[in-house]
Amino acid sequence: MEDDVELVERQLGRPPRAFRAVALRCPFGRPAVTEQRPFDENGQPFPTQYYLTCRHLVAAISRLEAAGGVERWTRAAAEDPELAASLADADAEQRRIRPELDAGIGGATRSGSLKCLHAHAAFALARPGYALGERILGEVPERWPDSCCTPE
């Protein structure tokens, strides 16, 4: 199998920063979510623990964000006690597994406010059981494409 770093570089169109490992593979065996180190190669903080690399999912989540998804899901998390608890638990878990940065999912430092739906989707895929992230992913019409989206 090809080197994961090379695959992720093709997916992103640039070398990945702070790459640690592949956290989840798509049905085609390619990286879909990567796990990042707390600091990149230059010692700069990298706030995102899990990074969405599947081009299909990145595009789908980008469409959700462009349609006001960050604001809508921030409101939903504030208004729905189950989603609020899910977000609080996931942010606390993020802080436990990455204490060096003391930040929630996607580097959020304020509780209750979402920063990036991609980070929440990636967290849900890498750590199943995160209800808010799973609900965000539920808005993606097809989680996986019919064929691999990683460029050859």
Side-chain angles (χ1 to χ4, degrees), residues 108-130:
T109 55
R110 296 176 303 163
S111 63
S113 178
L114 305 188
K115 218 172 146 178
C116 170
L117 297 185
H118 296 86
H120 291 273
F123 195 91
L125 289 166
R127 300 182 82 82
Y130 174 38

Side-chain angles (χ1 to χ4, degrees), residues 41-89:
E41 299 72 17
N42 298 317
Q44 296 299 309
F46 196 91
T48 304
Q49 172 83 23
Y50 298 109
Y51 201 88
L52 199 57
T53 63
C54 168
R55 289 177 143 201
H56 169 78
L57 287 176
V58 169
I61 300 295
S62 292
R63 286 189 291 275
L64 291 178
E65 285 188 349
V70 172
E71 296 81 12
R72 187 167 44 81
W73 282 107
T74 295
R75 270 193 319 277
E79 295 169 1
D80 182 323
E82 177 190 350
L83 294 180
S86 172
L87 176 59
D89 289 347

Side-chain angles (χ1 to χ4, degrees), residues 7-32:
L7 285 168
V8 172
E9 184 170 345
R10 284 207 324 262
Q11 289 174 319
L12 300 176
R14 62 169 173 74
R17 290 178 45 225
F19 179 85
R20 176 176 283 157
V22 173
L24 178 84
R25 293 184 184 277
C26 73
F28 307 102
R30 301 292 174 86

Side-chain angles (χ1 to χ4, degrees), residues 91-122:
D91 277 341
E93 176 153 348
Q94 175 68 38
R95 285 180 169 88
R96 277 193 304 278
I97 60 178
R98 211 169 206 215
E100 305 93 328
L101 299 181
D102 191 32
I105 295 173
T109 55
R110 296 176 303 163
S111 63
S113 178
L114 305 188
K115 218 172 146 178
C116 170
L117 297 185
H118 296 86
H120 291 273

